[in-house]
Amino acid sequence: MDGTHYKVMSIIRGTTVDGPGFRTSIYLSGCTHQCPGCHNPQSWNPDNGDAMTIEEIMEIVREEDFDVTLSGGDPLYNPEKTKTLIEAIKADGRNVWVFTGFTWEQITASDRLRRCIEKADVLVDGPFIEALKDPDLLFRGSSNQRLIDIRPSLTNGNIVVYKS
């Protein structure tokens, strides 16, 4: 692989809150959304966290042997690096979810952001909005956020909601 370093706030092994089933959740550093009420504000600073290579990240992913969720911060803060990470995880045969503060409309309007997520499976889009917080929502924090099935949505040109 390429030796690029990722700033990783934490890797949660065997979580069930960031997507279906047991997952390995990778929390990347860097976020410009800075949503009030964010559960992880220390991740906003792109310099926080540990520098890890893709090889080190993939070693943990393989050791845990679960599907993967990318969160943060915002994984789309560094879309080229995240694209490479998604490709490595997918090449390993795993399902990938991506949480982002960007909306689907912002992502699909940007070639750079679109290329980043097009190989992932599900996108949880939109900023966390504290006034819309709902602890009963499936895999998201506020009701404005959507669970988007990426490939059919890109193919159809319309959002296809992920069905659990």
Side-chain angles (χ1 to χ4, degrees):
M1 302 224 177
D2 67 3
T4 298
H5 280 87
Y6 294 78
K7 286 298 237 173
V8 177
M9 290 299 301
S10 64
I11 297 179
I12 309 297
R13 302 166 184 243
T15 182
T16 58
V17 298
D18 293 330
F22 286 96
R23 304 184 75 79
T24 300
S25 288
I26 303 167
Y27 289 82
L28 301 169
S29 297
C31 183
T32 56
H33 304 292
Q34 301 185 359
C35 304
C38 173
H39 77 284
N40 204 5
Q42 65 276 19
S43 69
W44 297 350
N45 183 337
D47 296 323
N48 285 350
D50 297 318
M52 295 181 73
T53 64
I54 197 166
E55 293 85 359
E56 291 169 324
I57 294 170
M58 289 306 298
E59 184 176 315
I60 293 169
V61 167
R62 288 184 187 111
E63 179 181 300
E64 291 305 304
D65 200 25
F66 298 131
D67 288 328
V68 176
T69 296
L70 301 178
S71 192
D74 191 327
L76 300 189
Y77 179 82
N78 285 307
E80 291 77 18
K81 282 184 174 182
T82 297
K83 177 181 183 289
T84 302
L85 183 57
I86 290 169
E87 289 170 350
I89 296 165
K90 290 301 291 180
D92 207 53
R94 300 179 194 285
N95 174 277
V96 178
W97 281 39
V98 178
F99 281 72
T100 181
F102 291 100
T103 64
W104 177 257
E105 292 77 12
Q106 291 169 314
I107 292 166
T108 56
S110 163
D111 287 340
R112 186 173 177 234
L113 296 178
R114 180 187 168 113
R115 280 191 304 274
C116 174
I117 59 100
E118 63 190 2
K119 291 205 171 128
D121 296 287
V122 173
L123 182 80
V124 182
D125 84 324
F128 171 74
I129 298 176
E130 198 165 19
L132 300 176
K133 180 179 179 175
D134 183 346
D136 295 325
L137 291 170
L138 183 66
F139 308 131
R140 59 201 188 278
S142 57
S143 61
N144 63 297
Q145 297 171 315
R146 301 172 287 188
L147 303 176
I148 300 171
D149 198 342
I150 294 172
R151 277 187 232 81
S153 296
L154 289 174
T155 300
N156 297 338
N158 295 311
I159 291 175
V160 176
V161 176
Y162 166 80
K163 302 280 193 235
S164 60

